[in-house]
Amino acid sequence: MDARTSKAIEVSSRPTNNLLRRLSQADYALLAPHISVENTAANELLYNPGDDVQVVHFPCGPALATFLVPNEDGRDVETILVGREGAVGGIVSEGYLPAYTRICVKFGGPFARIHVGKLEAAKQRSVSLRNIFARYADCMLAQIFQSTACNATHSIERRTAKWILAAMERTGDESSVPLTHEQLATLLGVGRSYASRVLQSFKAEGILETRRGSILVRNRDGLRLRACLCNDAVKMHFEEVLRGVYPTKEADVGSAQG
């Protein structure tokens, strides 16, 4: 077995999280003894505002986590989705700081977890490991900036198309996402009836269909034409700062091959 094949096998044996698979063998070896992988159900709460951040969660495969900001009217508004390209909780800080938002599991699936103390000890031993996580934090911040601009300038229809495409990219599903009208409304920060009207207009154009608990995309190119370019801007920044981590077919093939 040559070195390249051995490396590919080593990488493919890791949890299906692109950030973890981006690490060198030496850096991953610092984390591996302390990582556990557990299946997590949709809507499971990871952090409430004010909670001490003690565990870093890495969504794997089709799993998604979401950041929700509570408002004075009692509604939660989702800001960003995090899938197999990243992690939530104590990425750069030394942990044990209060969480600012509510963080929940959006789509259930496996999550790799490590205690922030173990992660910090590993980062102290490796400059390259610190660099990878700092670069990811920069990408996450860019995603937050883009989401803020998107919410301020783009129509509900364009944002709807963007969110559906973003969810599909992160879950790896080519034709559907397990997204309800209520969940979509929360993503958009609008009432359920408004989200339903937008979906009905897309259905009338033959772009998608809805099933109980899911959205089926019939015309992905049509959906892309209706979406804003915010996803593309975020992907471009990921590729410049942390190439091969944002969830695309090419990234998944690359992570499997090392």
Side-chain angles (χ1 to χ4, degrees):
M1 183 183 298
D2 60 29
R4 182 176 177 81
T5 301
S6 177
K7 182 180 178 182
I9 293 173
E10 188 274 333
V11 171
S12 64
S13 67
R14 300 179 191 178
T16 52
N17 174 279
N18 292 352
L19 188 59
L20 292 176
R21 292 187 169 198
R22 177 68 166 69
L23 302 178
S24 68
Q25 292 187 48
D27 283 344
Y28 184 71
L30 295 174
L31 304 181
H34 313 293
I35 291 176
S36 62
V37 179
E38 302 172 15
N39 281 319
T40 308
N43 302 316
E44 183 169 322
L45 179 67
L46 301 180
Y47 287 110
N48 262 321
D51 287 350
D52 285 344
V53 175
Q54 298 189 29
V55 177
V56 182
H57 304 265
F58 297 83
C60 299
L64 285 182
T66 183
F67 288 72
L68 301 106
V69 180
N71 286 279
E72 62 271 12
D73 63 1
R75 290 187 303 162
D76 288 334
V77 177
E78 299 196 43
T79 53
I80 62 171
L81 297 173
V82 177
R84 62 186 185 278
E85 81 283 0
V88 298
I91 303 301
V92 176
S93 71
E94 295 182 3
Y96 307 108
L97 297 177
Y100 180 73
T101 67
R102 181 175 294 112
I103 305 177
C104 294
V105 176
K106 185 72 174 179
F107 300 157
F111 276 70
R113 296 185 168 98
I114 185 170
H115 192 276
V116 291
K118 300 298 184 182
L119 177 59
E120 286 306 312
K123 285 161 64 176
Q124 291 300 316
R125 296 175 60 184
S126 171
V127 173
S128 59
L129 187 62
R130 292 200 299 274
N131 179 263
I132 289 289
F133 281 96
R135 284 172 177 267
Y136 173 67
D138 178 84
C139 290
M140 178 180 278
L141 187 59
Q143 191 177 350
I144 294 170
F145 286 156
Q146 194 67 47
S147 179
T148 301
C150 182
N151 291 343
T153 60
H154 294 145
S155 67
I156 299 296
E157 290 77 12
R158 298 185 76 188
R159 289 166 53 203
T160 297
K162 177 203 73 171
W163 277 119
I164 295 172
L165 287 168
M168 290 173 69
E169 287 175 344
R170 285 167 169 79
T171 60
D173 194 314
E174 292 291 318
S175 61
S176 67
V177 287
L179 198 65
T180 66
H181 289 213
E182 187 69 38
Q183 289 173 324
L184 180 61
T186 304
L187 279 169
L188 298 168
V190 300
R192 186 183 186 281
S193 60
Y194 199 129
S196 296
R197 287 199 300 272
V198 173
L199 290 177
Q200 286 297 329
S201 71
F202 284 176
K203 288 172 67 175
E205 296 175 25
I207 291 175
L208 55 78
E209 296 179 15
T210 56
R211 295 286 185 269
R212 184 175 180 84
S214 66
I215 295 172
L216 309 180
V217 176
R218 297 306 188 193
N219 184 349
R220 190 160 181 166
D221 289 338
L223 190 64
R224 289 189 183 281
L225 288 174
R226 295 298 302 272
C228 59
L229 299 178
C230 291
N231 278 351
D232 294 330
V234 170
K235 284 189 282 188
M236 185 179 298
H237 190 71
F238 262 89
E239 286 303 292
E240 291 175 349
V241 176
L242 203 55
R243 184 176 299 276
V245 168
Y246 192 89
T248 63
K249 288 182 179 179
E250 292 78 10
D252 291 341
V253 170
S255 67
Q257 294 177 345

